[in-house]
Amino acid sequence: MDGRTTRAQQRREQRRNAILVAAKQVFREKGYHETSVHDIIDRARIARGTFYLYFNNKREIFTELLATFLELIRQSVKRISLDPNDGPPLMQMRANFRRVMSAVITHQDLASITLRHASAVDPEIGGQVRDFFDQIVALIERSMRIGRKLGIARQDCDEHIIAISALGALREILPRMIDAQKRKDEPANGAVPDILTDIERLADELLTFFVRGVFT
Amino acid sequence: MDGRTTRAQQRREQRRNAILVAAKQVFREKGYHETSVHDIIDRARIARGTFYLYFNNKREIFTELLATFLELIRQSVKRISLDPNDGPPLMQMRANFRRVMSAVITHQDLASITLRHASAVDPEIGGQVRDFFDQIVALIERSMRIGRKLGIARQDCDEHIIAISALGALREILPRMIDAQKRKDEPANGAVPDILTDIERLADELLTFFVRGVFT
Amino acid sequence: MDGRTTRAQQRREQRRNAILVAAKQVFREKGYHETSVHDIIDRARIARGTFYLYFNNKREIFTELLATFLELIRQSVKRISLDPNDGPPLMQMRANFRRVMSAVITHQDLASITLRHASAVDPEIGGQVRDFFDQIVALIERSMRIGRKLGIARQDCDEHIIAISALGALREILPRMIDAQKRKDEPANGAVPDILTDIERLADELLTFFVRGVFT
Amino acid sequence: MDGRTTRAQQRREQRRNAILVAAKQVFREKGYHETSVHDIIDRARIARGTFYLYFNNKREIFTELLATFLELIRQSVKRISLDPNDGPPLMQMRANFRRVMSAVITHQDLASITLRHASAVDPEIGGQVRDFFDQIVALIERSMRIGRKLGIARQDCDEHIIAISALGALREILPRMIDAQKRKDEPANGAVPDILTDIERLADELLTFFVRGVFT
DNA sequence: CATGAATGAGCTTTCATTCAT
DNA sequence: CATGAATGAAAGCTCATTCAT
C-alpha cells in the first residue's frame, strides 16, 4: 500500500516536472504573453485539464519557474566575508560572479525567462523582480562599504551607483552568455565571441574592469 | 486650396500626436499587454475607430513610440572623435552619458516604455531592441579600441565585455533615475537618493567608475 | 447631431430588446442552465461580443427578465382597499386574480421563466424569488386579517396558512394556464381543458373555492 | 459461496446507500447544478471512480433520489374509498394530508430536492415531475367527483381547477414546513410560526380551508 | 473625417466521465 | 472492487479590429 502510494506520488512529481520543463521551454522561446496554455500542454503532450490538475493557472506556473531561478541566484551570491579563511574579498567577489554565471548557463531557460520576460508579465511580478535585484544591489553596496573601510576601495565613490552599475553589467552580460552558449551548441549561426562561453575568463574580465576600470 | 489642405494636415498631425501622447502615458503606466486600446482612446478622448484612422493597430503605435526613443538615443550618442577640436575622448564620453541621461529625463514615458516594457512585447520587437543595444555596444567597443590605440586604455582588456558592461551599467541606472525623478516630483514617497536626480554628478560618477574602477 | 444621437440610441434600445426577446424564448424552452450564451446569440442572430456589449453576463440578462416579470406582477396585485369606491373586497380580490392571470398570459415566456426556472438558477436568485412570494403571502395575509375584522372571514382560521395556500393555488394554476394557452395556439396536441384559457371563469372559480371551499 | 456473495452484496448495498445519503444532503444544500460530483464523493468519502461504479452519472443518482421520494408520496396518497370501514371521505383526505406531511418531514432532504430543485434539472426531469403531479391532480379530481356524486361537494365547481388548487396549496406549504422544521432544530434564526411544525393542526387547517373556504 | 456598434477568433478555466493501475 | 490521474468537450468571457452611418 505504501509502496503503491509512493510510486503514485513519484509519478505525480514526474508529471508535474514534465509540465514545468515544457512550460520553461515555451516561455523562453515565446515569452509569457505570447505563450498560451495551449502551447504548454502541446509541448508537454498532456490534456488541457491535466495542466490545471497541477497548476492553478498560467501565471502560477510562470511564477514557480521564476521563483526557482531567483532562489538559485540567491544561493549563488554570498556575502563578502572578512574571515581570512574565506579568502580575499576580491576572490570572493569573483567566486560570486562565477557561481551566478554557472547557474545561468546550467539553467538557461529559467535564466532567459527571468532576465528577459519576467519584468513585463504584470506589474506585480515586475515589482517582485525589481525587489529581488534591489536586494542584490544592497548586497553589493555593502561589500563596497566594507572595501572602503578596509582602504581597498576609493573613498570618493558612491557605493549605490557603483552597485547598480555592477549589477547592470552582469545583467547585460548574462543573456548574451546564454545566446552565445546556444549558438555554440547549434553552430551554423555564425561565429561566436568565445569569451562569452568561458566563465573563468568572463569572471576575470568583469572583476578587473570592476576593480581597475579601463585605464592604463 | 493649398491652405486648406495644409490646415487639415496640421489638424491631422495634432490629432495623431495627441493619441501618441495618450498612448505613451498609458503604456508607461501599465505596460504593453496590460494596456488595451480602450485605455488609449479613453485617455485621448477619441472614438475607437478614430484610433485606427491614425494607426494600423496597437502594436504599431507602440513601435512608433519605441522608434522615437531609440532615435533620440541614437542622436544623443556621438562617436568619439580624435579631432582635438572635439575635446578629449573622455570628455566626449562624459558628454554622451550626459546627453543620454538628459534624453531619458526629458522623455520619461518613452524611456520607461523602452527600458522596461519593449523587450517583452513580442519576440520581434524584443529582437529589434536587442539589435539597437548591440549597435550601442559596437559603438562603445569602437571607442575602446581607439582608446587602446591611443594608449589610454589597458591593453589587456576585452573591449566587447567592457562595452557590454558599460551599457549594462547605464541601462540599470536609467530606469532608477526615472523613478527617482518621479518620486522627487511627487514627494511623500520617502527619501530619494538625490544623486539619481543629478545628471552631472551621475555622469561623473559613472565615468570615474568606468575609467578607474573602484580601486584606490 | 441630436437627431443622429437619438436614432442611434433607439437602435441600441432595439438591439438590446431583440436580445432580451431571444433570451426570453430560449430560457423558457431550455431553462437557465441548459441555455448557453451561444443559444441566445444564435437565436438573436448576433455575434458573441455583441451580447456582452449589452449585458455583462448570462446571469444578468436572466435577472433582468426575472425582475421585469416580478415588477409586472407587483403592479398587478393591489392591496385590498376598504374605500367603498373601490368596490367590495372580494371583487378587488377577483380583480387581482384576473390581472395576474392576464399578465401571465400576455407574458408567457417571462412567466414561464419565473415560475418554472428562476428558483433553481442559484441560491441567491432562489432567495429573491422566495422573498418576492413571501411578500405576496404577507399581502394576502393582510387582506385576510381585514376580512376577519369585518366579520367576512372565519374567526378560527390561520391567515398565514390560508395566504400560503392561496398563493400556492395560483402558482399551480398559472403554469398550466400557459401550457393550455400554448396548446390552444398550436393544436394537434390533444384536447385542452378550456377553462384554463378563460381568465374570467378561472378567476371566478378560484375566488369561489377560496371563499366557500368545496362544500355544499 | 452463497454466504460470501450475500455478504459482498450487502457491502455493495451499504456503499451505494452511503453515496445516496451523501448526494441527498449535498443536492439539498446546493441544488443540482451547483452540486458537482466532487462535492458528492467528498461527502461520501469515496474516490471519483467509485462513484461511477454505483451510478452511471450524476443525473442518474439524482433521478434515483427523486424517484424514491415520488414513490414515498405515491404510497402516502390513498384513493378515497367509499367503504364505510375506511371512515368518512373527509377523514381519509385529512389522513392523506397527514401522511404526505409526515413523509416530507421524515425525508426532508428528498422532499427539498424534489420540491425545490427537481423541476429545473433539465426539461426531461421537469416533465417527469410535472407528470407525477398531474397524476396527483387526477387523483384529487376523482375524489372531488365522488364527493359531488355523494352530494358532499358543490355541484357547480370545476374539479380540475380545485384539484390543481389543492395540490398547489400543499406544494406551497410543504417547503415552508421543511424550513420551519429546520429553523426549529437549529434555533437562533428567529421565531418560527409554530403551526408549520405541527402536522395535526396543519392538516386540519388545510382541510377546513379546503372544505369550507374562508367565509364565515 | 469621426464615430462606436458589431464582430469573432481565441483565451482561460471547469467538470462530468473514463480507465489504467 | 477501489482508486484518482487523465481526459477533452464545452462553457463564459475579452478585446483588437472592422465598417456602416
Side-chain angles (χ1 to χ4, degrees):
Chain A
M1 198 64 183
D2 193 35
R4 221 200 289 174
T5 307
T6 310
R7 219 179 320 135
Q9 279 207 338
Q10 275 180 359
R11 285 183 60 84
R12 246 191 92 80
E13 208 57 41
Q14 277 171 22
R15 255 287 157 112
R16 200 183 138 88
N17 231 301
I19 302 176
L20 278 166
V21 167
K24 192 158 62 176
Q25 293 170 358
V26 190
F27 279 140
R28 179 198 176 155
E29 287 162 25
K30 312 180 74 169
Y32 180 79
H33 286 102
E34 299 264 303
T35 297
S36 67
V37 172
H38 178 81
D39 294 324
I40 299 172
I41 63 173
D42 243 39
R43 174 91 44 132
R45 296 182 156 281
I46 55 167
R48 205 145 268 261
T50 310
F51 175 85
Y52 288 93
L53 227 54
Y54 291 92
F55 302 95
N56 286 317
N57 49 49
K58 185 177 120 181
R59 194 177 186 275
E60 194 181 281
I61 197 172
F62 186 88
T63 39
E64 177 155 341
L65 292 172
L66 174 61
T68 305
F69 185 70
L70 293 188
E71 187 51 32
L72 275 170
I73 297 302
R74 221 171 255 127
Q75 289 175 356
S76 302
V77 179
K78 303 226 163 106
R79 291 192 162 203
I80 303 301
S81 138
L82 295 177
D83 183 338
N85 294 329
D86 293 327
L90 282 179
M91 283 308 103
Q92 291 180 44
M93 187 139 217
R94 187 184 175 287
N96 274 338
F97 284 155
R98 240 195 50 81
R99 276 191 302 266
V100 170
M101 289 171 178
S102 272
V104 166
I105 289 302
T106 314
H107 306 276
Q108 295 181 33
D109 291 340
L110 290 178
S112 211
I113 288 169
T114 305
L115 294 168
R116 288 211 247 267
H117 306 298
S119 306
V121 167
D122 64 44
E124 199 196 325
I125 291 188
Q128 284 174 20
V129 174
R130 239 141 90 186
D131 289 349
F132 174 80
F133 284 121
D134 278 350
Q135 287 170 25
I136 302 285
V137 165
L139 222 65
I140 307 179
E141 235 178 298
R142 190 180 156 280
S143 312
M144 283 295 302
R145 268 196 295 273
I146 292 176
R148 232 167 41 174
K149 274 186 195 147
L150 295 179
I152 302 175
R154 284 190 282 122
Q155 297 304 318
D156 61 338
C157 66
D158 183 305
E159 313 102 2
H160 190 51
I161 299 304
I162 288 189
I164 294 172
S165 302
L167 172 65
L170 205 53
R171 278 183 83 177
E172 193 75 31
I173 285 175
L174 295 177
R176 287 164 207 264
M177 286 179 63
I178 301 173
D179 285 349
Q181 191 66 39
K182 203 184 172 194
R183 267 179 296 167
K184 200 183 176 189
D185 295 346
E186 317 158 357
N189 289 340
V192 188
D194 46 312
I195 186 174
L196 282 170
T197 59
D198 182 343
I199 290 180
E200 301 301 331
R201 274 185 63 201
L202 251 181
D204 280 337
E205 193 67 42
L206 211 56
L207 188 72
T208 313
F209 172 52
F210 183 68
V211 171
R212 299 181 34 206
V214 300
F215 232 28
T216 313
Chain B
M1 201 65 178
D2 194 34
R4 221 201 287 174
T5 308
T6 311
R7 220 178 322 132
Q9 279 209 338
Q10 275 181 358
R11 283 184 58 84
R12 220 188 121 75
E13 209 57 41
Q14 276 172 21
R15 261 266 156 126
R16 200 182 138 87
N17 230 303
I19 302 176
L20 278 166
V21 168
K24 189 160 66 178
Q25 294 170 359
V26 190
F27 279 139
R28 181 206 174 147
E29 288 163 24
K30 312 179 77 169
Y32 180 78
H33 285 102
E34 301 261 305
T35 296
S36 67
V37 172
H38 177 84
D39 294 325
I40 299 173
I41 63 173
D42 237 41
R43 175 94 44 133
R45 297 182 158 281
I46 55 165
R48 254 198 148 61
T50 310
F51 175 87
Y52 287 91
L53 240 59
Y54 293 91
F55 302 94
N56 285 317
N57 50 48
K58 180 177 141 187
R59 195 176 182 275
E60 194 182 280
I61 197 171
F62 187 88
T63 44
E64 178 155 342
L65 292 171
L66 174 60
T68 305
F69 184 70
L70 294 188
E71 188 50 33
L72 274 170
I73 296 302
R74 224 172 251 126
Q75 288 175 358
S76 303
V77 178
K78 301 229 163 104
R79 290 191 165 203
I80 303 300
S81 137
L82 295 176
D83 183 338
N85 293 330
D86 293 328
L90 281 180
M91 283 309 106
Q92 290 180 43
M93 188 140 218
R94 188 184 176 286
N96 274 340
F97 285 155
R98 241 196 49 84
R99 276 191 302 268
V100 169
M101 288 172 178
S102 273
V104 166
I105 289 302
T106 315
H107 305 276
Q108 294 181 34
D109 292 340
L110 291 177
S112 213
I113 289 168
T114 306
L115 294 167
R116 286 211 249 265
H117 306 299
S119 306
V121 169
D122 63 43
E124 201 197 324
I125 291 188
Q128 285 174 20
V129 173
R130 238 141 89 188
D131 289 348
F132 173 79
F133 284 120
D134 278 350
Q135 288 170 24
I136 302 286
V137 165
L139 222 67
I140 306 179
E141 232 177 302
R142 193 181 153 279
S143 312
M144 283 294 302
R145 268 195 296 273
I146 292 176
R148 230 165 44 171
K149 275 186 194 148
L150 295 180
I152 302 174
R154 284 190 283 122
Q155 296 302 320
D156 62 338
C157 68
D158 183 303
E159 312 101 1
H160 190 50
I161 299 305
I162 289 189
I164 294 171
S165 301
L167 172 65
L170 206 53
R171 279 183 83 177
E172 193 76 31
I173 286 175
L174 295 177
R176 287 164 206 262
M177 285 179 62
I178 300 174
D179 284 351
Q181 192 65 40
K182 203 185 170 195
R183 265 179 298 168
K184 201 184 175 188
D185 295 346
E186 318 158 356
N189 289 341
V192 188
D194 45 314
I195 188 173
L196 281 170
T197 59
D198 182 344
I199 291 180
E200 300 302 329
R201 273 185 64 200
L202 251 182
D204 280 338
E205 191 69 41
L206 212 56
L207 188 73
T208 312
F209 172 52
F210 184 66
V211 171
R212 298 179 37 204
V214 299
F215 231 28
T216 314
Chain C
M1 199 64 181
D2 193 35
R4 220 198 290 175
T5 307
T6 311
R7 219 179 321 136
Q9 280 208 338
Q10 274 179 358
R11 284 182 61 84
R12 247 191 91 78
E13 208 57 40
Q14 276 170 21
R15 253 293 153 110
R16 202 183 135 86
N17 230 302
I19 302 175
L20 278 166
V21 168
K24 192 159 63 177
Q25 293 170 358
V26 189
F27 279 139
R28 179 196 176 157
E29 287 163 24
K30 311 178 75 169
Y32 180 78
H33 286 102
E34 299 264 304
T35 296
S36 67
V37 172
H38 178 82
D39 293 326
I40 298 173
I41 64 175
D42 243 40
R43 172 93 44 132
R45 297 185 154 280
I46 56 167
R48 204 147 269 261
T50 309
F51 176 85
Y52 288 94
L53 229 55
Y54 292 91
F55 303 94
N56 285 318
N57 48 52
K58 186 177 118 181
R59 195 178 185 274
E60 195 181 279
I61 197 172
F62 186 89
T63 38
E64 177 155 341
L65 292 171
L66 174 61
T68 305
F69 185 69
L70 294 189
E71 187 51 34
L72 274 171
I73 297 302
R74 223 171 253 126
Q75 288 175 357
S76 302
V77 178
K78 303 225 165 106
R79 288 192 165 204
I80 303 302
S81 139
L82 294 178
D83 184 338
N85 293 329
D86 294 326
L90 281 179
M91 283 307 104
Q92 292 179 44
M93 189 139 217
R94 188 184 176 286
N96 274 340
F97 285 155
R98 241 195 49 84
R99 277 191 300 267
V100 169
M101 289 171 178
S102 271
V104 166
I105 288 303
T106 315
H107 306 275
Q108 295 182 34
D109 291 340
L110 290 178
S112 210
I113 289 169
T114 306
L115 295 167
R116 288 212 248 265
H117 306 299
S119 306
V121 167
D122 63 43
E124 200 197 324
I125 291 188
Q128 284 175 20
V129 173
R130 238 141 90 186
D131 289 349
F132 174 80
F133 284 121
D134 279 350
Q135 287 171 24
I136 302 286
V137 165
L139 221 66
I140 305 178
E141 235 178 298
R142 191 179 154 279
S143 312
M144 283 294 302
R145 268 195 296 272
I146 291 176
R148 229 163 45 170
K149 273 186 197 149
L150 294 180
I152 302 175
R154 283 189 284 122
Q155 296 303 319
D156 61 337
C157 67
D158 182 305
E159 312 102 2
H160 190 50
I161 299 305
I162 288 188
I164 294 171
S165 302
L167 171 65
L170 205 51
R171 279 182 82 177
E172 193 75 30
I173 285 175
L174 295 176
R176 287 163 207 263
M177 283 179 65
I178 301 174
D179 285 351
Q181 192 65 39
K182 204 185 171 195
R183 267 179 296 168
K184 199 184 178 190
D185 295 345
E186 318 158 356
N189 288 341
V192 188
D194 45 313
I195 187 172
L196 281 169
T197 59
D198 182 344
I199 291 180
E200 300 303 330
R201 273 186 63 201
L202 252 181
D204 280 337
E205 191 69 42
L206 211 55
L207 188 72
T208 313
F209 173 51
F210 184 67
V211 171
R212 300 182 31 209
V214 300
F215 230 28
T216 314
Chain D
M1 202 63 181
D2 193 34
R4 221 201 286 174
T5 308
T6 310
R7 221 182 318 135
Q9 279 209 340
Q10 274 181 358
R11 283 184 58 83
R12 222 188 119 74
E13 208 57 41
Q14 276 172 21
R15 262 263 155 131
R16 201 181 136 86
N17 230 304
I19 302 176
L20 277 166
V21 168
K24 188 162 64 177
Q25 293 170 359
V26 189
F27 279 138
R28 181 206 175 148
E29 287 164 23
K30 312 179 78 168
Y32 180 78
H33 286 102
E34 302 261 305
T35 295
S36 67
V37 172
H38 177 84
D39 293 325
I40 299 172
I41 63 173
D42 238 42
R43 175 93 43 133
R45 297 183 157 281
I46 55 164
R48 253 198 148 59
T50 310
F51 175 87
Y52 287 91
L53 242 59
Y54 293 91
F55 302 94
N56 284 317
N57 50 48
K58 181 177 138 187
R59 194 175 183 276
E60 193 181 281
I61 196 171
F62 186 89
T63 43
E64 177 155 343
L65 292 172
L66 174 61
T68 306
F69 185 70
L70 294 188
E71 188 50 33
L72 274 170
I73 297 302
R74 223 172 252 124
Q75 289 175 358
S76 303
V77 179
K78 303 227 164 106
R79 291 193 164 201
I80 303 300
S81 136
L82 294 178
D83 183 340
N85 293 330
D86 291 327
L90 280 180
M91 283 308 104
Q92 291 179 44
M93 188 140 219
R94 188 184 176 287
N96 274 339
F97 284 156
R98 240 195 50 83
R99 276 190 302 267
V100 169
M101 289 173 179
S102 271
V104 166
I105 289 302
T106 315
H107 306 276
Q108 294 182 35
D109 293 340
L110 292 178
S112 215
I113 289 169
T114 305
L115 294 168
R116 286 212 248 266
H117 305 299
S119 305
V121 168
D122 63 41
E124 200 197 323
I125 290 187
Q128 285 174 21
V129 174
R130 238 140 88 189
D131 289 349
F132 173 80
F133 284 120
D134 277 351
Q135 288 170 24
I136 303 286
V137 166
L139 222 65
I140 306 180
E141 231 177 302
R142 192 180 153 280
S143 312
M144 282 295 301
R145 267 195 297 273
I146 292 176
R148 230 164 43 174
K149 274 186 197 149
L150 295 181
I152 302 175
R154 283 190 281 122
Q155 296 303 320
D156 60 337
C157 68
D158 182 305
E159 313 101 0
H160 191 50
I161 300 304
I162 288 187
I164 295 171
S165 301
L167 172 64
L170 205 52
R171 277 183 84 178
E172 193 76 30
I173 285 175
L174 295 177
R176 288 165 205 262
M177 283 179 65
I178 300 175
D179 284 350
Q181 191 64 41
K182 203 184 171 196
R183 266 180 298 169
K184 201 184 177 189
D185 294 346
E186 318 158 356
N189 288 340
V192 188
D194 45 311
I195 187 172
L196 281 170
T197 59
D198 181 343
I199 291 181
E200 302 302 331
R201 272 186 63 202
L202 252 181
D204 280 338
E205 191 70 42
L206 212 55
L207 188 72
T208 313
F209 171 52
F210 184 66
V211 171
R212 297 181 33 206
V214 300
F215 230 30
T216 314

